[in-house]
Amino acid sequence: MDELYDELFDRLDRAIQQINAVKSKVARRDLIKMVRAIDNKITAVDQESVECRRLHKETLRYRELRHEVSELLDNLEKHIVFAALIG
C-alpha cells in the first residue's frame, strides 16, 4: 500500500513543478485549486490506510479513494498540458 501512496505523492509533486512553469496566472491559480482538492483526497487515502493496517486488509473505501485520486491526478495532468499549450 505504501508504494501506491508514494506514487500518488510523486505524481502530485511532478504536477506542482509543472504548474510552476505555467505562465498564465489565471490558469496557475485554477490548477492550484485542483491541487488543493487532490491533496485533501490524498489525506483521506492516508487516513483510510490506517484503517487498512488496523484490519490487516485493503478496504473498499481505500480502493475507491485511491481510484478517485488517480482520476483527479489524470484530470489535473491534462489541464496542465492544456494550460502549457495555451500559455
Side-chain angles (χ1 to χ4, degrees):
M1 275 191 285
D2 290 334
E3 300 88 29
L4 297 170
Y5 185 70
D6 290 340
E7 178 192 341
L8 295 176
F9 262 120
D10 289 343
R11 285 180 67 190
L12 185 59
D13 286 340
R14 280 192 306 271
I16 290 170
Q17 290 173 355
Q18 293 170 343
I19 289 170
N20 290 333
V22 172
K23 290 180 173 59
S24 169
K25 290 181 182 180
V26 174
R28 193 169 40 237
R29 184 191 68 220
D30 292 342
L31 292 168
I32 292 296
K33 285 181 185 178
M34 293 174 75
V35 166
R36 286 188 193 120
I38 293 169
D39 191 46
N40 290 337
K41 277 288 189 197
I42 289 176
T43 300
V45 170
D46 187 39
Q47 291 170 346
E48 189 61 25
S49 73
V50 172
E51 184 68 14
C52 292
R53 284 192 297 274
R54 188 181 72 76
L55 297 173
H56 302 292
K57 68 176 186 174
E58 193 173 272
T59 63
L60 177 61
R61 185 173 188 317
Y62 176 79
R63 285 192 296 265
E64 289 172 350
L65 286 169
R66 198 180 66 223
H67 181 71
E68 286 176 29
V69 170
S70 183
E71 286 181 351
L72 288 169
L73 282 166
D74 289 343
N75 192 29
L76 175 64
E77 289 163 348
K78 290 175 186 173
H79 278 81
I80 290 170
V81 169
F82 185 66
L85 291 173
I86 290 176

